[in-house]
Amino acid sequence: MSQDRSRTSREVVTAVRRLLVTTTALVLAAACTPTGTSVAEQTAESVRAGEPGTTGSAAPAASPTRRQAFLEPVPADPVLDQRSDRIAAHLGAGPWSANVTEYGVPVYDADGAPLRDVECLRDWGHCRLEAAPVPVPDDAAPSTGTDAAMAVVDRRRGTSYEFWQVRRDGPSTWVTSWGDVVDLSPDVPSVSSATGAGLGLVDGLVTPQEIASGTIRHALVFSTDNACAGDSRAPATKTDGTSDRDDCIPQGARVQLDPAVDLSAIDGLSPGELAVGRALQQYGAYARDNGGTPVALIFQTPAHGDDRLARAGLAADYDRLAGLPWDRLRVLASWDGGPPASAGR
C-alpha cells in the first residue's frame, strides 16, 4: 500500500467499501449491546488514553492484561532494575513536560459519527483500519505535531480506532501512515501498532476530567529521548528506540516516583502536579515512545474551550511539571514489581 498507488485503484477500492457501509452499520448495531457501564469506566477511564513499528496487533502469550498493567498499583517494595539509578538519573535531569496539544492525543467519541474509508500509506503489512469503513466525527482533527495522532473510541463496542500521521483526504476519506483497531477490554493486553512500544494509544493518557478531579487511577505513559535500541519489555510488544547508551530505558519499562516522598509538603505544587505526582507514586508510568525530552507525559488533548488544565495550574501545552521531585524516580525490573522476566540489558 504505497502512497503513490494510482488514483484509479483507490477509487475502485473506495467504491467497493461504500457498498459495505450499510451492511457494516447493521452488523455494528447488532454487536453494540449497552452494558450500563461505559468502556471508559470498565477500564478505569482508559480514555484519559516515535514511529510505530511494523508489527500487527498480536501480543506475546505472557503479556499482562490491560487491567494488570495499567489498573493495578505498583506493589510495596518492588524489585528495581539493576540499572535503575543510571536510568533514573537521566530521566530526572530534565527537562520534563506534559504533552497536551502538539504531541498529545485528541480522543473522539464514535457515537453517531459517519463511517469513513481509511487508507494506510505505509507498506507494513495488513492495516486493520482498511478492513471496513470506520467512524470518524466531522469535527475530528489530529494532534498538530509530526505524529498527527488521533483516536476514535466506540465505547459500546469497546473498540478504539487509532491513527498515526493521519489527515483528511476528501469529504469521506482519511489517509494515515499507519494505525490499528484496538480491543479496549480490560482483560486483554494493551496492544496497538500505532505507538512505538506497541501499547494502545489511549491507554495511560491523563485526561482533563482526571486533572479536575485530582485523582488518576491508572498508570501513565511517557515518551523519552533515551529509549533503548532493540530492547523492550512487557507490556510493550516492540520498540522504536535508538539509544545504545548505558542509561537508556527499554520501552515498556515501568518507572515510579518514590512513594516515601510527601508530596503535600512540597511548597508551590499545583493541583495538577499533585494529581500527576500521586499517580506516579501509586501506579507509575510506562516508557511508550521516542520523544524530545527525558520524560514527556502524554495527555488527552482537551476540547476547544476546555480550561480544566489551566484551572489546575497546568499550561495549555508543555507544562514543565517542575514542582515534582523528579530526582526521586526509580525503575522497576518488571511491570508487576517482581524480578525481571529475562536477563535483558
Side-chain angles (χ1 to χ4, degrees):
M1 297 163 292
S2 64
Q3 189 168 1
D4 60 355
R5 65 173 60 176
S6 69
R7 175 62 63 177
T8 299
S9 175
R10 286 180 54 191
E11 290 174 349
V12 170
V13 172
T14 298
V16 171
R17 287 178 180 158
R18 286 173 178 167
L19 291 175
L20 297 174
V21 169
T22 302
T23 302
T24 301
L26 291 173
V27 172
L28 295 184
C32 295
T33 304
T35 64
T37 305
S38 72
V39 171
E41 290 171 336
Q42 292 169 357
T43 59
E45 295 186 350
S46 64
V47 188
R48 328 202 213 269
E51 177 170 310
T54 60
T55 61
S57 297
S63 293
T65 65
R66 179 175 281 106
R67 188 192 307 277
Q68 291 170 322
F70 282 91
L71 306 183
E72 293 182 1
V74 175
D77 300 318
V79 178
L80 300 185
D81 189 286
Q82 63 181 357
R83 298 185 301 119
S84 178
D85 288 347
R86 279 171 283 170
I87 298 171
H90 176 78
L91 299 178
W96 322 279
S97 71
N99 283 2
V100 176
T101 304
E102 190 172 13
Y103 287 96
V105 179
V107 180
Y108 297 94
D109 195 331
D111 189 30
L115 297 176
R116 311 289 194 185
D117 295 311
V118 176
E119 178 187 2
C120 296
L121 301 178
R122 295 296 183 101
D123 190 11
W124 284 346
H126 174 59
C127 182
R128 301 206 300 164
L129 289 170
E130 294 187 317
V134 303
V136 182
D138 289 331
D139 61 349
S143 58
T144 58
T146 56
D147 282 347
M150 181 177 80
V152 179
V153 172
D154 187 331
R155 289 178 174 81
R156 294 186 300 167
R157 297 188 68 212
T159 300
S160 177
Y161 302 92
E162 303 186 349
F163 305 83
W164 176 68
Q165 293 186 340
V166 65
R167 59 182 172 83
R168 194 186 300 269
D169 187 38
S172 62
T173 303
W174 288 70
V175 295
T176 186
S177 287
W178 200 249
D180 212 341
V181 181
V182 177
D183 181 353
L184 288 181
S185 167
D187 296 315
V188 302
S190 168
V191 181
S192 171
S193 57
T195 67
L199 294 172
L201 186 64
V202 299
D203 288 309
L205 298 181
V206 179
T207 69
Q209 297 94 316
E210 291 168 333
I211 291 297
S213 72
T215 303
I216 303 169
R217 296 189 177 93
H218 61 83
L220 312 185
V221 290
F222 65 97
S223 63
T224 179
D225 62 359
N226 197 29
C228 299
D231 188 17
S232 65
R233 61 180 63 164
T237 60
K238 59 188 180 69
T239 181
D240 63 350
T242 59
S243 176
D244 59 2
R245 292 171 41 157
D246 188 50
D247 59 356
C248 71
I249 183 169
Q251 288 191 354
R254 193 175 194 175
V255 303
Q256 182 189 30
L257 183 62
D258 187 348
V261 176
D262 183 2
L263 295 177
S264 64
I266 298 177
D267 290 336
L269 205 62
S270 71
E273 288 174 321
L274 184 60
V276 168
R278 285 175 171 165
L280 287 172
Q281 288 183 315
Q282 186 172 5
Y283 296 96
Y286 291 103
R288 195 192 75 179
D289 279 294
N290 272 328
T293 61
V295 177
L297 296 173
I298 305 175
F299 281 55
Q300 176 183 328
T301 304
H304 180 71
D306 186 340
D307 66 348
R308 285 176 288 186
L309 296 186
R311 284 188 275 129
L314 299 181
D317 203 9
Y318 298 123
D319 190 283
R320 292 306 181 188
L321 303 170
L324 292 173
W326 293 102
D327 60 339
R328 299 293 294 274
L329 288 178
R330 58 191 189 180
V331 184
L332 277 58
S334 64
W335 67 269
D336 61 357
S342 60
R345 288 179 66 104

